[in-house]
């Protein structure tokens, strides 16, 4: 993921720093940062087809992973991760958009969102790495086949001067 999304480590570090704070505004920022990170990852792995699709980042992530997982059990678990993170983010974002001072997530709630975000990212990295490995293997096999074909073709001969 770091290769295709270079600032992931920096963003995760910022999320961690927000959680370590004693300020509830920072905890809210940690949740908002998780949401933004997942949105950006979704844009990268499965870009929105139109403006209405932009906010459906969890669905786009599910659509990205679903065909790549062959195990029914693994597919169900992964769907559960996505549904859980979606619920937690929506709950926390709704809470914080109320405008009142009480509308701040508790540290535990923010930590739950961050933990589930990490689980989702780990799942995405695992799937992407497997897909990337297949793609690289395919490219290598194609290159080897092209080399073999080039080797097997007769070399053109130069006409002899008379």
């Amino acid at each position: 993921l770091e290769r295709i999304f270079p600032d992931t480590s920096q963003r995760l570090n910022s999320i961690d720093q927000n959680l370590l704070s004693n300020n509830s505004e920072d905890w809210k920022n940690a949740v908002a940062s998780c949401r933004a990170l997942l949105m950006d990852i979704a844009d990268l792995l499965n870009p929105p087809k139109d403006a209405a699709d932009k906010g459906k980042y969890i669905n786009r992530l599910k659509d990205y992973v679903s065909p790549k997982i062959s195990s029914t059990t693994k597919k169900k678990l992964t769907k559960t991760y996505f549904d859980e993170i979606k619920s937690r983010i929506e709950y926390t974002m709704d809470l914080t958009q109320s405008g009142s001072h009480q509308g701040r997530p508790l540290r535990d709630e923010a930590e739950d969102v961050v933990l589930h975000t990490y689980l989702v990212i780990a799942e995405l990295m695992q799937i992407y790495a497997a897909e990337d490995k297949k793609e690289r293997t395919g490219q290598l096999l194609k290159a080897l086949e092209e080399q073999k074909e080039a080797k097997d073709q007769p070399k053109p001969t130069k006409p002899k001067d008379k």
Side-chain angles (χ1 to χ4, degrees):
L1 191 61
E2 186 75 25
R3 187 169 47 87
I4 61 168
F5 203 66
D7 71 342
T8 301
S9 292
Q10 179 182 358
R11 292 170 78 171
L12 292 173
N13 186 43
S14 175
I15 290 167
D16 286 341
Q17 293 303 312
N18 281 323
L19 280 181
L20 293 173
S21 168
N22 289 323
N23 183 343
S24 63
E25 187 68 20
D26 291 334
W27 307 334
K28 178 183 104 170
N29 291 338
V31 172
S33 294
C34 287
R35 180 175 181 258
L37 180 59
L38 290 172
M39 290 176 90
D40 290 346
I41 292 170
D43 289 350
L44 182 72
L45 297 178
N46 189 8
K49 292 168 183 50
D50 54 41
D53 205 22
K54 179 78 175 160
K56 299 176 183 174
Y57 60 99
I58 296 293
N59 290 338
R60 290 188 287 122
L61 288 172
K62 284 185 199 177
D63 291 345
Y64 171 79
V65 279
S66 186
K68 295 168 179 35
I69 302 173
S70 57
S71 164
T72 305
T73 304
K74 178 88 168 164
K75 202 175 279 196
K76 285 180 182 178
L77 285 172
T78 302
K79 182 184 179 303
T80 302
Y81 288 153
F82 285 117
D83 291 340
E84 185 66 26
I85 190 67
K86 180 180 178 185
S87 296
R88 289 175 185 274
I89 287 174
E90 286 175 355
Y91 167 77
T92 308
M93 295 308 287
D94 288 346
L95 177 71
T96 60
Q97 291 175 3
S98 68
S100 70
H101 210 35
Q102 294 174 337
R104 300 288 178 256
L106 299 174
R107 178 181 272 161
D108 291 345
E109 293 168 333
E111 287 173 346
D112 285 348
V113 170
V114 171
L115 174 64
H116 283 83
T117 300
Y118 286 1
L119 288 171
V120 166
I121 290 173
E123 198 65 39
L124 290 169
M125 287 189 324
Q126 198 173 44
I127 291 164
Y128 184 83
E131 181 180 82
D132 191 47
K133 185 177 179 181
K134 285 180 190 175
E135 186 177 313
R136 287 179 186 219
T137 301
Q139 290 171 347
L140 179 61
L141 290 173
K142 183 179 177 184
L144 290 172
E145 186 65 34
E146 288 171 356
Q147 283 179 348
K148 184 179 185 290
E149 286 175 8
K151 209 183 237 187
D152 291 345
Q153 290 185 359
K155 295 180 182 173
T157 57
K158 292 184 181 179
K160 295 182 180 179
D161 291 332
K162 293 185 182 183

PDB file of all heavy atoms in Angstrom, residues 106-140:
ATOM      1  N   LEU A 106     -15.812   9.730  22.475  1.00  0.00           N
ATOM      2  CA  LEU A 106     -14.973   9.323  23.591  1.00  0.00           C
ATOM      3  C   LEU A 106     -13.699   8.733  23.008  1.00  0.00           C
ATOM      4  O   LEU A 106     -13.674   8.270  21.867  1.00  0.00           O
ATOM      5  CB  LEU A 106     -15.692   8.280  24.443  1.00  0.00           C
ATOM      6  CG  LEU A 106     -17.006   8.707  25.094  1.00  0.00           C
ATOM      7  CD1 LEU A 106     -17.656   7.518  25.786  1.00  0.00           C
ATOM      8  CD2 LEU A 106     -16.763   9.835  26.080  1.00  0.00           C
ATOM      9  N   ARG A 107     -12.649   8.731  23.788  1.00  0.00           N
ATOM     10  CA  ARG A 107     -11.391   8.164  23.311  1.00  0.00           C
ATOM     11  C   ARG A 107     -11.593   6.702  22.898  1.00  0.00           C
ATOM     12  O   ARG A 107     -11.090   6.273  21.865  1.00  0.00           O
ATOM     13  CB  ARG A 107     -10.306   8.269  24.372  1.00  0.00           C
ATOM     14  CG  ARG A 107      -8.995   7.639  23.906  1.00  0.00           C
ATOM     15  CD  ARG A 107      -7.923   7.722  24.943  1.00  0.00           C
ATOM     16  NE  ARG A 107      -7.228   8.981  24.757  1.00  0.00           N
ATOM     17  CZ  ARG A 107      -6.479   9.550  25.668  1.00  0.00           C
ATOM     18  NH1 ARG A 107      -6.335   9.014  26.851  1.00  0.00           N
ATOM     19  NH2 ARG A 107      -5.856  10.686  25.430  1.00  0.00           N
ATOM     20  N   ASP A 108     -12.360   5.945  23.681  1.00  0.00           N
ATOM     21  CA  ASP A 108     -12.613   4.539  23.354  1.00  0.00           C
ATOM     22  C   ASP A 108     -13.281   4.385  21.996  1.00  0.00           C
ATOM     23  O   ASP A 108     -12.954   3.483  21.226  1.00  0.00           O
ATOM     24  CB  ASP A 108     -13.478   3.864  24.423  1.00  0.00           C
ATOM     25  CG  ASP A 108     -12.755   3.689  25.746  1.00  0.00           C
ATOM     26  OD1 ASP A 108     -11.517   3.824  25.775  1.00  0.00           O
ATOM     27  OD2 ASP A 108     -13.437   3.400  26.744  1.00  0.00           O
ATOM     28  N   GLU A 109     -14.231   5.260  21.703  1.00  0.00           N
ATOM     29  CA  GLU A 109     -14.924   5.203  20.405  1.00  0.00           C
ATOM     30  C   GLU A 109     -13.954   5.508  19.270  1.00  0.00           C
ATOM     31  O   GLU A 109     -13.959   4.825  18.235  1.00  0.00           O
ATOM     32  CB  GLU A 109     -16.087   6.196  20.383  1.00  0.00           C
ATOM     33  CG  GLU A 109     -17.198   5.834  21.334  1.00  0.00           C
ATOM     34  CD  GLU A 109     -18.212   6.944  21.524  1.00  0.00           C
ATOM     35  OE1 GLU A 109     -17.868   8.140  21.357  1.00  0.00           O
ATOM     36  OE2 GLU A 109     -19.361   6.606  21.854  1.00  0.00           O
ATOM     37  N   ALA A 110     -13.128   6.515  19.466  1.00  0.00           N
ATOM     38  CA  ALA A 110     -12.145   6.862  18.440  1.00  0.00           C
ATOM     39  C   ALA A 110     -11.137   5.723  18.255  1.00  0.00           C
ATOM     40  O   ALA A 110     -10.775   5.374  17.123  1.00  0.00           O
ATOM     41  CB  ALA A 110     -11.420   8.155  18.818  1.00  0.00           C
ATOM     42  N   GLU A 111     -10.711   5.122  19.364  1.00  0.00           N
ATOM     43  CA  GLU A 111      -9.780   3.988  19.269  1.00  0.00           C
ATOM     44  C   GLU A 111     -10.400   2.822  18.523  1.00  0.00           C
ATOM     45  O   GLU A 111      -9.718   2.140  17.750  1.00  0.00           O
ATOM     46  CB  GLU A 111      -9.338   3.555  20.667  1.00  0.00           C
ATOM     47  CG  GLU A 111      -8.368   4.522  21.319  1.00  0.00           C
ATOM     48  CD  GLU A 111      -8.047   4.180  22.771  1.00  0.00           C
ATOM     49  OE1 GLU A 111      -8.756   3.340  23.386  1.00  0.00           O
ATOM     50  OE2 GLU A 111      -7.082   4.772  23.291  1.00  0.00           O
ATOM     51  N   ASP A 112     -11.692   2.579  18.732  1.00  0.00           N
ATOM     52  CA  ASP A 112     -12.381   1.503  18.003  1.00  0.00           C
ATOM     53  C   ASP A 112     -12.378   1.769  16.502  1.00  0.00           C
ATOM     54  O   ASP A 112     -12.137   0.860  15.701  1.00  0.00           O
ATOM     55  CB  ASP A 112     -13.821   1.343  18.495  1.00  0.00           C
ATOM     56  CG  ASP A 112     -13.920   0.665  19.838  1.00  0.00           C
ATOM     57  OD1 ASP A 112     -12.912   0.115  20.308  1.00  0.00           O
ATOM     58  OD2 ASP A 112     -15.027   0.686  20.424  1.00  0.00           O
ATOM     59  N   VAL A 113     -12.654   3.011  16.121  1.00  0.00           N
ATOM     60  CA  VAL A 113     -12.648   3.358  14.693  1.00  0.00           C
ATOM     61  C   VAL A 113     -11.250   3.154  14.117  1.00  0.00           C
ATOM     62  O   VAL A 113     -11.092   2.571  13.043  1.00  0.00           O
ATOM     63  CB  VAL A 113     -13.133   4.808  14.467  1.00  0.00           C
ATOM     64  CG1 VAL A 113     -12.889   5.239  13.023  1.00  0.00           C
ATOM     65  CG2 VAL A 113     -14.605   4.942  14.821  1.00  0.00           C
ATOM     66  N   VAL A 114     -10.242   3.596  14.838  1.00  0.00           N
ATOM     67  CA  VAL A 114      -8.864   3.456  14.359  1.00  0.00           C
ATOM     68  C   VAL A 114      -8.486   1.980  14.241  1.00  0.00           C
ATOM     69  O   VAL A 114      -7.918   1.552  13.232  1.00  0.00           O
ATOM     70  CB  VAL A 114      -7.878   4.222  15.276  1.00  0.00           C
ATOM     71  CG1 VAL A 114      -6.437   3.910  14.913  1.00  0.00           C
ATOM     72  CG2 VAL A 114      -8.143   5.725  15.203  1.00  0.00           C
ATOM     73  N   LEU A 115      -8.825   1.199  15.249  1.00  0.00           N
ATOM     74  CA  LEU A 115      -8.525  -0.235  15.213  1.00  0.00           C
ATOM     75  C   LEU A 115      -9.180  -0.896  14.002  1.00  0.00           C
ATOM     76  O   LEU A 115      -8.531  -1.642  13.264  1.00  0.00           O
ATOM     77  CB  LEU A 115      -8.994  -0.914  16.499  1.00  0.00           C
ATOM     78  CG  LEU A 115      -8.862  -2.434  16.526  1.00  0.00           C
ATOM     79  CD1 LEU A 115      -7.395  -2.844  16.455  1.00  0.00           C
ATOM     80  CD2 LEU A 115      -9.520  -3.000  17.763  1.00  0.00           C
ATOM     81  N   HIS A 116     -10.446  -0.608  13.770  1.00  0.00           N
ATOM     82  CA  HIS A 116     -11.133  -1.202  12.627  1.00  0.00           C
ATOM     83  C   HIS A 116     -10.573  -0.690  11.296  1.00  0.00           C
ATOM     84  O   HIS A 116     -10.519  -1.427  10.317  1.00  0.00           O
ATOM     85  CB  HIS A 116     -12.640  -0.979  12.730  1.00  0.00           C
ATOM     86  CG  HIS A 116     -13.282  -1.900  13.706  1.00  0.00           C
ATOM     87  ND1 HIS A 116     -13.313  -1.652  15.062  1.00  0.00           N
ATOM     88  CD2 HIS A 116     -13.891  -3.092  13.532  1.00  0.00           C
ATOM     89  CE1 HIS A 116     -13.919  -2.643  15.674  1.00  0.00           C
ATOM     90  NE2 HIS A 116     -14.281  -3.537  14.773  1.00  0.00           N
ATOM     91  N   THR A 117     -10.133   0.551  11.289  1.00  0.00           N
ATOM     92  CA  THR A 117      -9.488   1.078  10.080  1.00  0.00           C
ATOM     93  C   THR A 117      -8.214   0.294   9.800  1.00  0.00           C
ATOM     94  O   THR A 117      -7.949  -0.092   8.654  1.00  0.00           O
ATOM     95  CB  THR A 117      -9.169   2.578  10.244  1.00  0.00           C
ATOM     96  OG1 THR A 117     -10.389   3.289  10.469  1.00  0.00           O
ATOM     97  CG2 THR A 117      -8.472   3.136   9.016  1.00  0.00           C
ATOM     98  N   TYR A 118      -7.430   0.027  10.837  1.00  0.00           N
ATOM     99  CA  TYR A 118      -6.208  -0.766  10.670  1.00  0.00           C
ATOM    100  C   TYR A 118      -6.528  -2.166  10.146  1.00  0.00           C
ATOM    101  O   TYR A 118      -5.818  -2.698   9.291  1.00  0.00           O
ATOM    102  CB  TYR A 118      -5.434  -0.865  11.976  1.00  0.00           C
ATOM    103  CG  TYR A 118      -4.695   0.384  12.398  1.00  0.00           C
ATOM    104  CD1 TYR A 118      -4.734   1.552  11.650  1.00  0.00           C
ATOM    105  CD2 TYR A 118      -3.948   0.400  13.552  1.00  0.00           C
ATOM    106  CE1 TYR A 118      -4.052   2.691  12.046  1.00  0.00           C
ATOM    107  CE2 TYR A 118      -3.256   1.539  13.961  1.00  0.00           C
ATOM    108  CZ  TYR A 118      -3.314   2.677  13.198  1.00  0.00           C
ATOM    109  OH  TYR A 118      -2.631   3.797  13.583  1.00  0.00           O
ATOM    110  N   LEU A 119      -7.590  -2.771  10.667  1.00  0.00           N
ATOM    111  CA  LEU A 119      -7.985  -4.104  10.197  1.00  0.00           C
ATOM    112  C   LEU A 119      -8.350  -4.079   8.710  1.00  0.00           C
ATOM    113  O   LEU A 119      -7.944  -4.952   7.940  1.00  0.00           O
ATOM    114  CB  LEU A 119      -9.169  -4.641  11.008  1.00  0.00           C
ATOM    115  CG  LEU A 119      -8.881  -5.065  12.441  1.00  0.00           C
ATOM    116  CD1 LEU A 119     -10.185  -5.371  13.180  1.00  0.00           C
ATOM    117  CD2 LEU A 119      -7.951  -6.265  12.467  1.00  0.00           C
ATOM    118  N   VAL A 120      -9.095  -3.068   8.322  1.00  0.00           N
ATOM    119  CA  VAL A 120      -9.501  -2.947   6.919  1.00  0.00           C
ATOM    120  C   VAL A 120      -8.277  -2.713   6.036  1.00  0.00           C
ATOM    121  O   VAL A 120      -8.125  -3.338   4.987  1.00  0.00           O
ATOM    122  CB  VAL A 120     -10.553  -1.827   6.749  1.00  0.00           C
ATOM    123  CG1 VAL A 120     -10.733  -1.449   5.295  1.00  0.00           C
ATOM    124  CG2 VAL A 120     -11.889  -2.265   7.349  1.00  0.00           C
ATOM    125  N   ILE A 121      -7.393  -1.833   6.471  1.00  0.00           N
ATOM    126  CA  ILE A 121      -6.186  -1.560   5.683  1.00  0.00           C
ATOM    127  C   ILE A 121      -5.316  -2.810   5.576  1.00  0.00           C
ATOM    128  O   ILE A 121      -4.786  -3.118   4.507  1.00  0.00           O
ATOM    129  CB  ILE A 121      -5.404  -0.371   6.275  1.00  0.00           C
ATOM    130  CG1 ILE A 121      -6.184   0.921   6.036  1.00  0.00           C
ATOM    131  CG2 ILE A 121      -4.008  -0.272   5.674  1.00  0.00           C
ATOM    132  CD1 ILE A 121      -5.599   2.141   6.730  1.00  0.00           C
ATOM    133  N   ALA A 122      -5.190  -3.549   6.666  1.00  0.00           N
ATOM    134  CA  ALA A 122      -4.407  -4.796   6.625  1.00  0.00           C
ATOM    135  C   ALA A 122      -5.018  -5.777   5.630  1.00  0.00           C
ATOM    136  O   ALA A 122      -4.293  -6.422   4.858  1.00  0.00           O
ATOM    137  CB  ALA A 122      -4.341  -5.423   8.017  1.00  0.00           C
ATOM    138  N   GLU A 123      -6.318  -5.873   5.637  1.00  0.00           N
ATOM    139  CA  GLU A 123      -7.019  -6.760   4.697  1.00  0.00           C
ATOM    140  C   GLU A 123      -6.779  -6.305   3.260  1.00  0.00           C
ATOM    141  O   GLU A 123      -6.484  -7.114   2.377  1.00  0.00           O
ATOM    142  CB  GLU A 123      -8.516  -6.757   5.023  1.00  0.00           C
ATOM    143  CG  GLU A 123      -9.268  -7.908   4.451  1.00  0.00           C
ATOM    144  CD  GLU A 123      -8.850  -9.242   5.040  1.00  0.00           C
ATOM    145  OE1 GLU A 123      -8.586  -9.334   6.250  1.00  0.00           O
ATOM    146  OE2 GLU A 123      -8.785 -10.209   4.257  1.00  0.00           O
ATOM    147  N   LEU A 124      -6.889  -5.015   3.024  1.00  0.00           N
ATOM    148  CA  LEU A 124      -6.659  -4.473   1.683  1.00  0.00           C
ATOM    149  C   LEU A 124      -5.223  -4.702   1.229  1.00  0.00           C
ATOM    150  O   LEU A 124      -4.975  -5.051   0.072  1.00  0.00           O
ATOM    151  CB  LEU A 124      -6.986  -2.978   1.652  1.00  0.00           C
ATOM    152  CG  LEU A 124      -8.452  -2.606   1.777  1.00  0.00           C
ATOM    153  CD1 LEU A 124      -8.608  -1.109   2.013  1.00  0.00           C
ATOM    154  CD2 LEU A 124      -9.235  -3.051   0.559  1.00  0.00           C
ATOM    155  N   MET A 125      -4.264  -4.520   2.142  1.00  0.00           N
ATOM    156  CA  MET A 125      -2.855  -4.737   1.795  1.00  0.00           C
ATOM    157  C   MET A 125      -2.616  -6.196   1.423  1.00  0.00           C
ATOM    158  O   MET A 125      -1.895  -6.491   0.471  1.00  0.00           O
ATOM    159  CB  MET A 125      -1.938  -4.326   2.944  1.00  0.00           C
ATOM    160  CG  MET A 125      -1.839  -2.837   3.113  1.00  0.00           C
ATOM    161  SD  MET A 125      -0.587  -2.237   4.292  1.00  0.00           S
ATOM    162  CE  MET A 125      -0.593  -3.414   5.594  1.00  0.00           C
ATOM    163  N   GLN A 126      -3.225  -7.093   2.177  1.00  0.00           N
ATOM    164  CA  GLN A 126      -3.059  -8.523   1.911  1.00  0.00           C
ATOM    165  C   GLN A 126      -3.622  -8.871   0.524  1.00  0.00           C
ATOM    166  O   GLN A 126      -2.974  -9.577  -0.252  1.00  0.00           O
ATOM    167  CB  GLN A 126      -3.785  -9.306   2.995  1.00  0.00           C
ATOM    168  CG  GLN A 126      -3.391 -10.739   3.121  1.00  0.00           C
ATOM    169  CD  GLN A 126      -4.063 -11.370   4.345  1.00  0.00           C
ATOM    170  OE1 GLN A 126      -5.245 -11.156   4.589  1.00  0.00           O
ATOM    171  NE2 GLN A 126      -3.304 -12.134   5.088  1.00  0.00           N
ATOM    172  N   ILE A 127      -4.785  -8.368   0.218  1.00  0.00           N
ATOM    173  CA  ILE A 127      -5.422  -8.642  -1.076  1.00  0.00           C
ATOM    174  C   ILE A 127      -4.635  -7.987  -2.203  1.00  0.00           C
ATOM    175  O   ILE A 127      -4.376  -8.608  -3.235  1.00  0.00           O
ATOM    176  CB  ILE A 127      -6.887  -8.171  -1.057  1.00  0.00           C
ATOM    177  CG1 ILE A 127      -7.693  -9.062  -0.111  1.00  0.00           C
ATOM    178  CG2 ILE A 127      -7.491  -8.176  -2.458  1.00  0.00           C
ATOM    179  CD1 ILE A 127      -9.035  -8.502   0.288  1.00  0.00           C
ATOM    180  N   TYR A 128      -4.232  -6.735  -2.009  1.00  0.00           N
ATOM    181  CA  TYR A 128      -3.486  -6.028  -3.036  1.00  0.00           C
ATOM    182  C   TYR A 128      -2.139  -6.702  -3.280  1.00  0.00           C
ATOM    183  O   TYR A 128      -1.716  -6.854  -4.424  1.00  0.00           O
ATOM    184  CB  TYR A 128      -3.277  -4.558  -2.656  1.00  0.00           C
ATOM    185  CG  TYR A 128      -2.593  -3.786  -3.748  1.00  0.00           C
ATOM    186  CD1 TYR A 128      -3.327  -3.268  -4.803  1.00  0.00           C
ATOM    187  CD2 TYR A 128      -1.214  -3.605  -3.749  1.00  0.00           C
ATOM    188  CE1 TYR A 128      -2.706  -2.574  -5.829  1.00  0.00           C
ATOM    189  CE2 TYR A 128      -0.584  -2.919  -4.762  1.00  0.00           C
ATOM    190  CZ  TYR A 128      -1.330  -2.404  -5.800  1.00  0.00           C
ATOM    191  OH  TYR A 128      -0.700  -1.732  -6.813  1.00  0.00           O
ATOM    192  N   ALA A 129      -1.473  -7.127  -2.220  1.00  0.00           N
ATOM    193  CA  ALA A 129      -0.171  -7.791  -2.368  1.00  0.00           C
ATOM    194  C   ALA A 129      -0.308  -9.082  -3.163  1.00  0.00           C
ATOM    195  O   ALA A 129       0.519  -9.369  -4.032  1.00  0.00           O
ATOM    196  CB  ALA A 129       0.444  -8.066  -0.998  1.00  0.00           C
ATOM    197  N   ALA A 130      -1.350  -9.855  -2.886  1.00  0.00           N
ATOM    198  CA  ALA A 130      -1.573 -11.100  -3.622  1.00  0.00           C
ATOM    199  C   ALA A 130      -1.858 -10.801  -5.092  1.00  0.00           C
ATOM    200  O   ALA A 130      -1.332 -11.475  -5.987  1.00  0.00           O
ATOM    201  CB  ALA A 130      -2.724 -11.883  -2.999  1.00  0.00           C
ATOM    202  N   GLU A 131      -2.660  -9.780  -5.336  1.00  0.00           N
ATOM    203  CA  GLU A 131      -2.979  -9.395  -6.711  1.00  0.00           C
ATOM    204  C   GLU A 131      -1.731  -8.887  -7.424  1.00  0.00           C
ATOM    205  O   GLU A 131      -1.477  -9.233  -8.574  1.00  0.00           O
ATOM    206  CB  GLU A 131      -4.059  -8.314  -6.700  1.00  0.00           C
ATOM    207  CG  GLU A 131      -4.479  -7.876  -8.081  1.00  0.00           C
ATOM    208  CD  GLU A 131      -5.544  -6.805  -8.014  1.00  0.00           C
ATOM    209  OE1 GLU A 131      -5.185  -5.623  -7.820  1.00  0.00           O
ATOM    210  OE2 GLU A 131      -6.714  -7.139  -8.147  1.00  0.00           O
ATOM    211  N   ASP A 132      -0.939  -8.078  -6.737  1.00  0.00           N
ATOM    212  CA  ASP A 132       0.283  -7.529  -7.299  1.00  0.00           C
ATOM    213  C   ASP A 132       1.268  -8.647  -7.629  1.00  0.00           C
ATOM    214  O   ASP A 132       1.918  -8.633  -8.663  1.00  0.00           O
ATOM    215  CB  ASP A 132       0.901  -6.534  -6.315  1.00  0.00           C
ATOM    216  CG  ASP A 132       2.031  -5.731  -6.924  1.00  0.00           C
ATOM    217  OD1 ASP A 132       1.865  -5.224  -8.048  1.00  0.00           O
ATOM    218  OD2 ASP A 132       3.086  -5.605  -6.253  1.00  0.00           O
ATOM    219  N   LYS A 133       1.351  -9.639  -6.735  1.00  0.00           N
ATOM    220  CA  LYS A 133       2.250 -10.774  -6.957  1.00  0.00           C
ATOM    221  C   LYS A 133       1.820 -11.551  -8.205  1.00  0.00           C
ATOM    222  O   LYS A 133       2.665 -11.922  -9.029  1.00  0.00           O
ATOM    223  CB  LYS A 133       2.227 -11.685  -5.732  1.00  0.00           C
ATOM    224  CG  LYS A 133       3.198 -12.828  -5.796  1.00  0.00           C
ATOM    225  CD  LYS A 133       3.168 -13.637  -4.509  1.00  0.00           C
ATOM    226  CE  LYS A 133       4.111 -14.801  -4.564  1.00  0.00           C
ATOM    227  NZ  LYS A 133       4.072 -15.593  -3.333  1.00  0.00           N
ATOM    228  N   LYS A 134       0.520 -11.773  -8.362  1.00  0.00           N
ATOM    229  CA  LYS A 134       0.013 -12.466  -9.556  1.00  0.00           C
ATOM    230  C   LYS A 134       0.342 -11.671 -10.820  1.00  0.00           C
ATOM    231  O   LYS A 134       0.768 -12.231 -11.829  1.00  0.00           O
ATOM    232  CB  LYS A 134      -1.498 -12.660  -9.465  1.00  0.00           C
ATOM    233  CG  LYS A 134      -1.931 -13.729  -8.514  1.00  0.00           C
ATOM    234  CD  LYS A 134      -3.448 -13.826  -8.502  1.00  0.00           C
ATOM    235  CE  LYS A 134      -3.942 -14.704  -7.388  1.00  0.00           C
ATOM    236  NZ  LYS A 134      -5.405 -14.723  -7.288  1.00  0.00           N
ATOM    237  N   GLU A 135       0.145 -10.356 -10.735  1.00  0.00           N
ATOM    238  CA  GLU A 135       0.409  -9.496 -11.894  1.00  0.00           C
ATOM    239  C   GLU A 135       1.891  -9.519 -12.258  1.00  0.00           C
ATOM    240  O   GLU A 135       2.255  -9.654 -13.420  1.00  0.00           O
ATOM    241  CB  GLU A 135      -0.035  -8.070 -11.583  1.00  0.00           C
ATOM    242  CG  GLU A 135       0.071  -7.129 -12.761  1.00  0.00           C
ATOM    243  CD  GLU A 135      -0.442  -5.745 -12.416  1.00  0.00           C
ATOM    244  OE1 GLU A 135      -1.527  -5.641 -11.818  1.00  0.00           O
ATOM    245  OE2 GLU A 135       0.264  -4.778 -12.756  1.00  0.00           O
ATOM    246  N   ARG A 136       2.749  -9.422 -11.260  1.00  0.00           N
ATOM    247  CA  ARG A 136       4.197  -9.443 -11.520  1.00  0.00           C
ATOM    248  C   ARG A 136       4.633 -10.798 -12.063  1.00  0.00           C
ATOM    249  O   ARG A 136       5.481 -10.874 -12.944  1.00  0.00           O
ATOM    250  CB  ARG A 136       4.970  -9.102 -10.257  1.00  0.00           C
ATOM    251  CG  ARG A 136       4.875  -7.654  -9.882  1.00  0.00           C
ATOM    252  CD  ARG A 136       5.630  -7.389  -8.606  1.00  0.00           C
ATOM    253  NE  ARG A 136       5.423  -6.032  -8.178  1.00  0.00           N
ATOM    254  CZ  ARG A 136       6.378  -5.283  -7.660  1.00  0.00           C
ATOM    255  NH1 ARG A 136       7.586  -5.766  -7.491  1.00  0.00           N
ATOM    256  NH2 ARG A 136       6.120  -4.061  -7.289  1.00  0.00           N
ATOM    257  N   THR A 137       4.064 -11.874 -11.527  1.00  0.00           N
ATOM    258  CA  THR A 137       4.388 -13.212 -12.028  1.00  0.00           C
ATOM    259  C   THR A 137       3.964 -13.332 -13.490  1.00  0.00           C
ATOM    260  O   THR A 137       4.710 -13.859 -14.316  1.00  0.00           O
ATOM    261  CB  THR A 137       3.694 -14.293 -11.171  1.00  0.00           C
ATOM    262  OG1 THR A 137       4.130 -14.151  -9.822  1.00  0.00           O
ATOM    263  CG2 THR A 137       4.008 -15.684 -11.670  1.00  0.00           C
ATOM    264  N   GLY A 138       2.784 -12.815 -13.799  1.00  0.00           N
ATOM    265  CA  GLY A 138       2.304 -12.829 -15.185  1.00  0.00           C
ATOM    266  C   GLY A 138       3.220 -12.046 -16.106  1.00  0.00           C
ATOM    267  O   GLY A 138       3.527 -12.489 -17.221  1.00  0.00           O
ATOM    268  N   GLN A 139       3.673 -10.891 -15.657  1.00  0.00           N
ATOM    269  CA  GLN A 139       4.591 -10.076 -16.451  1.00  0.00           C
ATOM    270  C   GLN A 139       5.918 -10.793 -16.657  1.00  0.00           C
ATOM    271  O   GLN A 139       6.479 -10.773 -17.749  1.00  0.00           O
ATOM    272  CB  GLN A 139       4.820  -8.723 -15.783  1.00  0.00           C
ATOM    273  CG  GLN A 139       3.614  -7.817 -15.809  1.00  0.00           C
ATOM    274  CD  GLN A 139       3.799  -6.574 -14.949  1.00  0.00           C
ATOM    275  OE1 GLN A 139       4.718  -6.486 -14.145  1.00  0.00           O
ATOM    276  NE2 GLN A 139       2.898  -5.610 -15.114  1.00  0.00           N
ATOM    277  N   LEU A 140       6.409 -11.449 -15.620  1.00  0.00           N
ATOM    278  CA  LEU A 140       7.666 -12.186 -15.711  1.00  0.00           C
ATOM    279  C   LEU A 140       7.539 -13.347 -16.687  1.00  0.00           C
ATOM    280  O   LEU A 140       8.402 -13.552 -17.536  1.00  0.00           O
ATOM    281  CB  LEU A 140       8.088 -12.688 -14.325  1.00  0.00           C
ATOM    282  CG  LEU A 140       9.373 -13.508 -14.267  1.00  0.00           C
ATOM    283  CD1 LEU A 140      10.562 -12.685 -14.746  1.00  0.00           C
ATOM    284  CD2 LEU A 140       9.608 -14.016 -12.860  1.00  0.00           C
TER     285      LEU A 140
END
